[in-house]
Amino acid sequence: MAQIIERKSKDGKISYLIRVSNGYDLTGKQKKQSMTWIPPEELTPAKIKKALSAAALKFEEQVAAGAVQDGNIRFYQFAEKFMKEYASKNLKRKTYSEYENRLERINQAIGNIRMCDLKTGHINSFYANMAEDGIRKGGKLHAKADISEMLKAQKLTKTAFSEKSGCCIHAVRAAMAGGNVDRATAEKIASALGKKVSDLFAPCDDKPATLSSTSVRTYHATLSSILSKAVKWGVIPFNPAANAEIPKVRHIETSHLDEADAKRLLELLQGEQMNYRAAVTFDLLSGLRRAELLGLRWTDIDFDTDTITIRQTSNYLPKVGVYTDTPKNETSARRIKLAHSLFLLLGEYRAWQNEQRDKCGDLWQDKDGRVFTSLFGAPIFPDTVTGWFKSFIRKHNFPDVHFHSLRHTYASLMIADGTPLVVVSRRLGHAQVSTTSNIYAHVIQSADEKAAQISDKFADSFLSIPQKKQA
């Protein structure tokens, strides 16, 4: 028989503790399982009594059937179990790494709370704390000094410096190219060069110390996913994150280039090194994600039909290095027809790449026929192309955009040209058309306003009084 205890919080809200016997342990001590039941506000006292009895009976049956595991396990212990038994086998490497990083902060806040005692209030407090000033971890840094010259002065190669600093070669290359690195990497590089971090690096932005609402929601998604699995595995009867107060996301317009700046970008790229010129031009005129662009192989390019097929992505993780993975989702694995002029560019670039291969000889590092590679044929470290693009943008006084803005520019130009949204969504590889609509709402609105002006072309045909031109 379940034991039911009524509890009343400081603010007067009523909840019920349902406790059920679950046999005895090896010492002869009775084991008990418990859950908290909170009645819906709209129920009358009579209906609360009836619903409470039903909840107690259901919980008692679950415990008897072994469907409820030990709720006394602490959150951090269950999170470890979740990561080992589920996440490591079902999540992409990048997603798994993101879960690991978020769990550091989550465990600091609620890790020691027993699963059976974890309440929505604990989670609400955690989210509120993340929005407080000072909670945001130190962001990325970029080199403000010429690290390449410093290595030359010390007669160090990239490989030798990588070993001396304890940083992977990709991180060293990123720092030298002006790409973003984390603070731990910056500290290792500065220490190896005998300098202070502040002498070599500067923050990448002036973001406030608080976490954005979008960041808080990513923590909510991770926490809710873990707790949902706890419900499915019978550790807790319900997900306390389900009713948590999550912040609303403020819509931010995507940064992109207008048509005039896009044309100027393409013209200025003509004078740049072929590998960067080809990669940036191709990305602007195809709208690929960076990982999709760098994952392209020559076998994915069909010169006869002017099409490309997205089959893999190229990514980077500190503990893994550069690695390939499947596309982001099912719709991201797609076949796209592109302008013939792009394939003429690829043909020119391929001839340049073949020359590079001949120069390198046995030092050429390409193993899977990758389209965009380093000068030695190796897969490109993602932040290398991002860092190069950032320097190029600053040098030529373009608006403050980033590499992903090339994708936004491609989408915006299609929408402005009247391309149906479903076509734009498919070409971008979005899972739903609504995703495209939400991201590019401001562009769609501008195109809609422009379309509304079409009727003015026929004004003279249906207005009886000629319209005076505005002074």
Side-chain angles (χ1 to χ4, degrees), residues 6 64 109 127 187 201 223 228 239 357 368 426 445 455:
E6 180 179 319
Y127 294 164
E187 288 174 350
F201 296 90
L223 183 55
S228 291
N239 182 353
R357 181 185 291 107
D368 64 349
R426 183 185 64 77
Q445 183 179 352
S455 300

Side-chain angles (χ1 to χ4, degrees), residues 70-79 112-119 226-227 230-231 235-238 240:
D70 185 9
N72 287 317
I73 185 174
R74 299 185 187 278
F75 175 83
Y76 82 88
Q77 294 172 319
F78 179 78
N112 281 320
I113 299 177
R114 298 183 188 280
M115 293 291 284
C116 60
D117 295 329
L118 184 59
K119 304 294 185 292
I226 294 172
L227 293 176
V231 173
V235 177
I236 50 177
F238 65 93

